[in-house]
């Protein structure tokens, strides 16, 4: 097994689509159906409330898209059919999600995208992460109850999405922003049909939405969440998008729209009589003026002949998925139970993520070492036949790596390190992980691919709509460590980007795109992406099966968080190895696509989670 990790561009190779791959990590030797534990999952059926026309799998030619929402997928398809490329379509879909999935995405949020450029045969990424205002210090959240920060001006980061769309279109698109926004404007004007998921998300937020006049007016028409089947229009957002297209990003980044954002953050439009404690924000117009989206080299690991590209810090997505893949590649099969090594590799990678990853402009992140073969091998030594004690301490990614102790080949090394402080440094964060955020994938007829994670952090962001503008503000700054936590790489700082878990991922084989995948779900994003790759390449599942399969998320916590069906299927064998589980109804809501060969593309969304997603192709037949 060779694993080689580095950052940078992909070597130029001819674009020919590939068909099949056997194993990404070599972790599980027998085919998936060889044992009852690895039996392929039966695909769950779409729920009755999935929108009409919403199908989770589509195969065909000429371009493909998968998002959580039919209108957003249609927006991307429309742009592809008009001759736009994958980046044009990705921006159109993202802007449309700002209308139909406004609690997960929007122009005042942020995100990360990974792009495969078919002409240059290279992978690059754009960081549109929100930043802290310059007045924010390391102690800004100390003593602030998390729940109070969630609905506040204080947690609103300087929005990144508009700058990201602009940079993405200028670098890789063919259309101006005004054109890419057109489908979203139409949906906002015409309205969209409220489905069960939207209704439920509104109801869960109703308590805080009612505390802001602007939010209540838009999302609680008549005082309650809009009924399933009703049509919700957002003419304010249509007008905002239209004006943004006309005036350009500077309207937000230092202009009049920016001034309105700042005023809302500093003096939220609180409903008279509300007793909610609402902390004002620190954002100034100068913070907006200073904002830049950043093009960054992707993270890159090579595992079993596959090149896996992801998002570099300030996201921990690429480094943690990449490190875990490296550990798995170095581990091989260690136990009778499939997915044991998956959980253990994830535990170790999270220990390192928590200890070392933050905004690289503020923290010296040992990224190359975290993704190196030597470090992966050293970490893999810790994986034995049974679950390791928790929490695992972080490793030392310093370039000097010891071979596995002879007494415990490929594992079993004592992880109960005496350095309790170090151990705690790697332990799971306290922050609860919910189902917020969204992810989309697009491929075009030329073979360009975009994997794009967008978010306003929690479902509903900070709960505050900018009056008259039709969009919610993010509460991304709650992704910082609140502290006190001396030495933590993710403490707030002036202008700093909070550490993310978003993990848009593109896999190449022989320099050609094979697969793209990503998911929402806070820190579970990382494990969802990792598990889908393991399902697809090690457990022999098809991509739709890999997405539908029950999930578990081990993030260096004593108990692994898992969906009930995971515990049912894998629980007995894993519990016998010392794993314990807590259950949660759903983890993630992934979208993905795979090149099947001879220009055929398969787009895949969730069949059930979060109400099911929407996959579309430009043409089902060649
Ligand atoms: N704020 C999260 C992150 O960047 C994304 C939102 C979520 O899925 O929780 O990791």
């Amino acid at each position: 097994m060779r694993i080689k990790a580095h950052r940078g561009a992909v070597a130029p190779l001819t674009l020919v689509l590939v068909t099949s791959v056997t194993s990404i990590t070599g972790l599980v030797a027998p085919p998936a159906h060889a044992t009852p534990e690895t039996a392929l999952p039966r695909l769950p059926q779409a729920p009755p409330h999935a929108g009409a026309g919403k199908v989770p799998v589509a195969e065909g030619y000429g371009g493909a898209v998968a998002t959580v929402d039919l209108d957003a997928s249609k927006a991307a398809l429309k742009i592809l059919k008009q001759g736009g490329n994958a980046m044009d379509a990705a921006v159109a879909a993202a802007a449309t999600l700002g209308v139909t999935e406004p609690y997960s995405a929007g122009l005042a949020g942020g995100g990360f995208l990974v792009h495969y450029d078919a002409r240059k045969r290279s992978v690059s990424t754009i960081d549109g992460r929100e930043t802290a205002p310059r007045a924010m210090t390391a102690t800004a959240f100390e003593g602030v109850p998390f729940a109070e920060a969630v609905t506040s001006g204080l947690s609103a980061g300087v929005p990144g999405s508009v700058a990201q769309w602009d940079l993405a279109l200028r670098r890789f698109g063919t259309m101006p922003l005004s054109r890419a926004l057109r489908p979203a404007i139409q949906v906002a004007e015409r309205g969209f049909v409220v489905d069960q998921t939207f209704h439920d998300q509104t109801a869960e937020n109703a308590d805080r939405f009612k505390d802001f006049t602007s939010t209540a007016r838009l999302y609680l028409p008549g005082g309650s969440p809009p009924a399933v089947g009703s049509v919700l229009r957002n003419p304010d957002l249509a007008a905002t998008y239209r004006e943004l297209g006309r005036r350009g990003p500077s309207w937000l980044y230092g202009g009049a729209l920016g001034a309105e954002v700042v005023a809302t953050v500093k003096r939220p439009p609180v409903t008279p009589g509300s007793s909610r404690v609402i902390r004002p924000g620190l954002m100034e117009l100068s913070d907006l003026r200073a904002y830049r989206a950043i093009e960054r080299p992707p993270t890159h690991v090579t595992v079993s002949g596959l090149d896996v590209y992801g998002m570099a810090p300030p996201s921990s997505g690429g480094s943690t998925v990449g490190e875990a893949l490296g550990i798995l590649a170095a581990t091989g099969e260690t136990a009778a139970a499939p997915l044991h090594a998956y959980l253990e590799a994830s535990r170790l990678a999270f220990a390192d993520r928590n200890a070392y990853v933050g905004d690289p402009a503020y923290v010296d992140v040992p990224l190359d070492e975290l993704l190196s073969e030597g470090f992966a091998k050293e970490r893999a030594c810790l994986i034995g036949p049974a679950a390791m004690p928790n929490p695992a301490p972080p490793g030392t990614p310093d370039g000097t790596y010891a071979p596995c102790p002879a007494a415990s080949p490929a594992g079993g090394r004592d992880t109960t390190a005496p350095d309790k402080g170090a151990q705690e440094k790697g332990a799971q964060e306290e922050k609860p992980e919910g189902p917020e955020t969204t992810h989309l994938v697009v491929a075009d007829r030329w073979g360009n691919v975009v994997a794009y994670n967008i978010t306003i952090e929690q479902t509903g962001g900070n709960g505050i709509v900018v009056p008259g503008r039709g969009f919610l503000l993010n509460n991304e700054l709650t992704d910082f460590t609140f502290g006190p936590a001396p030495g933590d790489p993710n403490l707030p700082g002036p202008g700093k980007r909070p550490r993310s878990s978003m993990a848009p991922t593109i896999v190449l084989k022989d320099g050609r795109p094979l697969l793209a995948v990503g998911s929402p779900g806070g820190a579970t994003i990382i494990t969802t992406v990792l598990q889908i790759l393991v399902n697809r390449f090690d457990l022999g599942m098809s991509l739709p099966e890999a997405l539908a399969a029950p999930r578990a998320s081990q993030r260096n916590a004593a108990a692994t968080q898992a969906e009930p069906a995971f515990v049912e299927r894998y629980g007995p064998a894993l519990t016998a190895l010392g794993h314990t589980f807590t259950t949660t109804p759903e983890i993630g809501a992934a979208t993905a696509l795979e090149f099947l060969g001879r220009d055929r593309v398969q787009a895949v969304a969730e069949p059930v989670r979060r109400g099911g997603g929407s996959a579309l192709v430009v043409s089902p037949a060649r």
Side-chain angles (χ1 to χ4, degrees), residues 20 54 65 70 102 151 163 170 181 228 305 315 336 382 390 392 401 467 494 530 547 583 598:
S20 69
K54 221 173 170 186
V65 55
L70 181 61
T151 307
R170 283 190 286 112
L181 291 175
V228 175
S315 183
L382 298 171
N390 193 83
Y401 304 114
L530 182 61
L547 262 76
T583 57
R598 298 165 57 88

Side-chain angles (χ1 to χ4, degrees), residues 129 431 433-434 436-437 455 457 476 479 499-502 520-523 525:
R129 186 65 160 172
K431 188 171 177 271
E433 299 302 345
E436 50 264 357
T437 306
T455 185
E457 173 37 22
E476 213 70 52
D479 272 359
R499 176 175 63 210
S500 170
S501 299
M502 290 189 273
I525 291 171

